[in-house]
Amino acid sequence: MTIRAKLYVAILLTVIGPVITIAVALHGMDRLGQRFDEVQNRADRRALALDLKFGVTDFNGWQTAYGYDDGASRPRFEHSVRKFRTDFASARRELTDAREKRLLTEIRSRFDQFMTLDDVAYSALKRGDAARVKQIFLGPELRLFDAMATRSQQLAQYEARGATATERAFDKSREDSRRGLIAVALGAALVIILLLVTASDIARMALESHRVRR
């Protein structure tokens, strides 16, 4: 390659090098931003599923408690139920794919049955019919709780798998961006080397021309 050609190539790469670097950096940042939003969204979905899982266990525990302390824990049970209803409404708004909808529908169906039987049990408790309360709590209510706990666990596991997959995709995008920037940096290093070689050739020619004139 002639010195003139080297010089032209060096000038061209010097001009387009920063453009390529900026383009690669912006593309990488955009992809990382999108992936990060996906990671955050999946984390929020997982948190909603875990809230439901905890809520099912919590209100069932307080129901059992008020059945054995003559209703003293009933306000705590009612508070737990209200919290679960709020969390469930949030989950219905945010978890909208087919599997999520199916699991939420099954949870809601069991929950409605659970609350219907709870009204019956609480009425029996107020009448002093402890045997009827025990029959409900240790029979159909326990089965409904098991069904809700199973579905909420399945939902939590599903969301956890989705979150893990999204986190892996984010890590891959971050690694791809890092490799892209390394490639650009190596290209910049080659440009610098080419400029140095060209400058050396120009200097050598200038010295030779000077010696010839002398």
Side-chain angles (χ1 to χ4, degrees), residues 61-75 77 117-119 121-123 125 133 137:
W62 286 116
Q63 185 196 58
T64 301
Y66 89 68
Y68 285 94
D69 63 12
D70 294 326
S73 297
R74 176 75 182 183
F77 166 76
L117 281 173
D118 178 75
D119 289 340
Y122 189 50
S123 296
L125 182 69
V133 174
F137 281 4

Side-chain angles (χ1 to χ4, degrees), residues 56 60 110 140-152:
V56 167
N60 179 73
R110 270 70 173 187
E141 288 288 70
L142 186 58
R143 289 191 293 272
L144 288 168
F145 163 70
D146 285 341
M148 287 187 288
T150 298
R151 301 306 188 280
S152 61

Side-chain angles (χ1 to χ4, degrees), residues 113-168:
Q113 296 175 55
F114 184 94
M115 293 306 299
T116 298
L117 281 173
D118 178 75
D119 289 340
V120 176
Y122 189 50
S123 296
L125 182 69
K126 289 187 290 187
R127 293 194 308 270
D129 190 351
R132 177 61 173 156
V133 174
K134 184 176 181 180
Q135 178 190 34
I136 293 173
F137 281 4
L138 298 182
E141 288 288 70
L142 186 58
R143 289 191 293 272
L144 288 168
F145 163 70
D146 285 341
M148 287 187 288
T150 298
R151 301 306 188 280
S152 61
Q153 174 65 18
Q154 291 172 350
L155 182 62
Q157 290 173 341
Y158 177 71
E159 299 303 337
R161 288 194 297 271
T164 299
T166 304
E167 289 166 2
R168 288 174 179 168

Side-chain angles (χ1 to χ4, degrees), residues 2-4 74 100 105-106 114 124 152 155 167 193 202:
T2 65
I3 293 177
R4 178 175 293 182
R74 176 75 182 183
E100 291 166 339
T105 297
E106 292 177 1
F114 184 94
S152 61
L155 182 62
E167 289 166 2
I193 292 172
I202 292 173

Side-chain angles (χ1 to χ4, degrees), residues 184-195:
V184 170
L186 291 175
L190 291 175
V191 170
I192 293 172
I193 292 172
L194 182 58
L195 285 171

